[in-house]
């Protein structure tokens, strides 16, 4: 059952094989993003058509996650996170993401506080419609999910696993300099902590700032 899953100490041991697999996936994702973006990056530099090459962004967001899991003990969670990205060119971006989702719930009649912390590497594809203040995007990422469960009157247990996500959203730049933007997106993330498949559907909103020229 879900309760036994969290009390099984063997479930919290992250094997060396899984660590190696996660590292390989992260390296492969980074390689794919670079491989796809490099030709466009080179062409853009040659023609001097990109105004975003070498720039980046940093921002934060808050939101709500819908949790689908047999062992988490919660069906929703409060989300907070930060992101930082580097623009390979006007369209492609590599982004790092640190975030946390947490809430209180119930497992087999026991109150628990559940927290999921994420470290993700995302590949972001930006679009540039005629309205320059709008920059919609799609993304895909891979990383690590660390899940901890703290039962009332018991010992905390934790586990981690590889996490994958896809999503999309938009930035709406404002102000005279157009260096600040409102950012909103919807993402779908899956992980397998405690040998159980968990899906988070998250809606976030926040502010982001352009970095560089």
């Amino acid at each position: 059952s879900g309760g036994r899953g969290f009390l099984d100490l063997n479930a919290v041991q992250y094997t060396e094989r899984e660590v190696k697999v996660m590292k390989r996936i992260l390296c492969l994702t980074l390689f794919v993003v670079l491989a796809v973006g490099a030709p466009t990056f080179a062409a853009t530099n040659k023609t001097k058509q990109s105004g975003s090459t070498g720039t980046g962004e940093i921002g934060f967001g808050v939101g709500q996650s819908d949790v689908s899991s047999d062992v988490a003990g919660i069906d929703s969670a409060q989300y907070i996170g930060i992101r930082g990205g580097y623009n390979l060119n006007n369209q492609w971006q590599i982004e790092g993401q640190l975030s946390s989702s947490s809430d209180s719930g119930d497992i087999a009649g026991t109150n628990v506080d559940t927290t999921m912390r994420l470290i993700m590497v995302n590949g972001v594809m930006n679009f540039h419609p005629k309205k320059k203040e709008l920059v919609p995007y799609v993304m895909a990422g891979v990383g690590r999910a660390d899940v901890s469960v703290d039962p009332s009157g018991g010992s905390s247990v934790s586990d981690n696993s590889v996490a994958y996500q896809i999503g999309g959203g938009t930035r709406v730049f404002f102000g005279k300099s157009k260096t600040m933007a409102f950012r909103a997106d919807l993402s779908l993330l899956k992980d397998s902590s405690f040998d159980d498949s968990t899906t988070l559907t998250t809606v976030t909103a926040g502010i982001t700032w352009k970095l560089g020229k």
Side-chain angles (χ1 to χ4, degrees):
S1 69
R4 288 198 300 270
F6 275 126
L7 296 178
D8 184 359
L9 296 181
N10 290 329
V12 304
Q13 296 180 351
Y14 198 64
T15 67
E16 183 178 353
R17 180 181 178 183
E18 288 173 318
V19 173
K20 291 181 179 179
V21 170
M22 186 181 74
K23 289 181 179 179
R24 289 174 181 172
I25 293 174
L26 286 171
C27 291
L28 179 61
T29 301
L30 184 59
F31 174 78
V32 170
V33 172
L34 289 173
V36 172
T40 310
F41 174 75
T44 302
N45 272 346
K46 185 176 181 179
T47 58
K48 297 183 180 180
Q49 292 178 348
S50 174
S52 298
T53 302
T55 63
E57 71 172 303
I58 189 169
F60 71 92
V62 295
Q64 183 78 15
S65 298
D66 178 71
V67 183
S68 176
S69 172
D70 291 332
V71 297
I74 57 176
D75 55 17
S76 64
Q78 307 301 312
Y79 169 97
I80 184 169
I82 59 173
R83 291 169 170 171
Y86 176 80
N87 295 317
L88 297 173
N89 52 51
N90 204 37
Q91 187 173 37
W92 294 98
Q93 181 184 58
I94 296 177
E95 177 182 76
Q97 173 187 350
L98 299 175
S99 63
S100 176
S101 297
S102 61
D103 212 331
S104 299
D106 180 273
I107 296 178
T110 300
N111 292 327
V112 297
D113 294 323
T114 302
T115 301
M116 174 183 283
R117 296 180 178 86
L118 297 172
I119 303 175
M120 305 294 294
V121 177
N122 303 319
V124 182
M125 182 179 182
N126 296 302
F127 302 93
H128 298 276
K130 291 183 179 180
K131 290 186 177 182
K132 294 183 179 180
E133 65 270 20
L134 295 178
V135 183
Y137 60 90
V138 293
M139 68 171 183
V142 64
R144 169 175 166 144
D146 290 284
V147 181
S148 64
V149 180
D150 187 8
S152 176
S155 300
S156 176
V157 292
S158 60
D159 193 18
N160 48 42
S161 74
V162 178
Y164 310 89
Q165 74 172 348
I166 57 173
T170 190
R171 304 176 190 84
V172 182
F173 287 91
F174 56 90
K176 187 174 182 180
S177 63
K178 295 294 190 293
T179 57
M180 184 181 293
F182 170 78
R183 177 172 175 169
D185 65 27
L186 172 67
S187 63
L188 180 70
L189 181 140
K190 295 185 73 69
D191 80 283
S192 55
S193 301
F194 298 103
D195 296 325
D196 179 76
S197 178
T198 297
T199 302
L200 271 73
T201 304
T202 304
V203 177
T204 63
I207 298 294
T208 186
W209 291 267
K210 283 185 178 179
L211 300 176
K213 59 184 179 180

